[in-house]
């Protein structure tokens, strides 16, 4: 087992550092950058060799009309900087995944969103793409899902 293995609660607000013997230290809580954290992904978003976290928040910190993704950069000692929030491209952000979606070698984020910006259910089925800049920051690109293909 890795000395610094971490477990994340489903809410994405607590980090438990491993002791290396199958036990964990007490949980440390971190604000997720929005409300109702539903999904967490880990990767090195700024290229410093430390694990960072991204959290899909159902709502922004001020309104459920917009979902947000909070990015918490790791410091390398098991702690994280305050979350920086990014608009997910719609409301009710449910899930996120990490991948290099544009082939530039930098981790990007994809989000599953119930409703496009504006909250109109007729505009549902949106995948928000946050393109990683390699320094821990992201740019938003939106794709609307359609049967038989995408546009965006």
């Amino acid at each position: 087992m890795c000395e610094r293995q971490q477990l994340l609660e489903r809410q994405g607000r607590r980090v438990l550092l491993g002791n290396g013997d199958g036990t964990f230290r007490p949980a440390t809580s971190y604000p997720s950058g929005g409300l109702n954290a539903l999904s967490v992904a880990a990767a090195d978003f700024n290229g410093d060799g430390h694990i960072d976290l991204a959290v899909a928040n159902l709502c922004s910190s001020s309104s459920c009309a917009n979902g947000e993704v909070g990015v918490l950069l790791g410091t390398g000692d098991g702690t994280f900087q305050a979350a920086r929030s990014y608009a997910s491209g719609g409301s009710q952000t449910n899930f996120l995944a990490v991948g290099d979606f544009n082939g530039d070698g930098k981790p990007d984020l994809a989000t599953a969103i119930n409703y496009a910006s504006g909250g109109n259910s007729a505009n549902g089925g949106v995948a928000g793409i946050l393109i990683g800049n390699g320094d821990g920051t992201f740019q938003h690109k939106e794709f609307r899902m359609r049967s038989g293909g995408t546009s965006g």
Side-chain angles (χ1 to χ4, degrees):
M1 178 177 282
C2 297
E3 178 62 32
R4 306 217 64 189
Q5 183 176 0
Q6 301 172 4
L7 291 182
L8 300 171
E9 269 194 353
R10 184 171 189 264
Q11 288 295 323
R13 295 182 184 148
R14 293 185 182 183
V15 174
L16 288 82
L17 296 177
N19 291 317
D21 62 2
T23 63
F24 295 88
R25 298 180 202 163
T28 303
S29 296
Y30 293 93
S32 65
L35 301 174
N36 299 322
L38 295 177
S39 178
V40 178
D44 181 7
F45 298 122
N46 60 355
D48 65 358
H50 306 305
I51 293 294
D52 307 312
L53 301 176
V55 183
N57 293 297
L58 193 65
C59 305
S60 73
S61 55
S62 61
S63 167
C64 280
N66 298 299
E68 286 186 339
V69 172
V71 175
L72 295 84
L73 298 178
T75 61
D77 63 0
T79 63
F80 296 88
Q81 297 176 19
R84 180 169 179 177
S85 296
Y86 296 89
S88 65
S91 63
Q92 298 187 5
T93 308
N94 292 301
F95 184 78
L96 58 80
V98 177
D100 181 10
F101 302 116
N102 62 352
D104 66 357
K106 301 169 190 164
D108 307 313
L109 296 168
T111 61
I113 304 165
N114 282 353
Y115 305 111
S117 295
N120 183 343
S121 62
N123 294 328
V126 175
I129 305 294
L130 296 170
I131 301 298
N133 295 319
D135 60 1
T137 64
F138 293 84
Q139 302 172 43
H140 183 262
K141 182 162 178 74
E142 181 177 294
F143 291 91
R144 293 191 192 283
M145 306 305 282
R146 290 193 227 158
S147 59
T150 61
S151 66

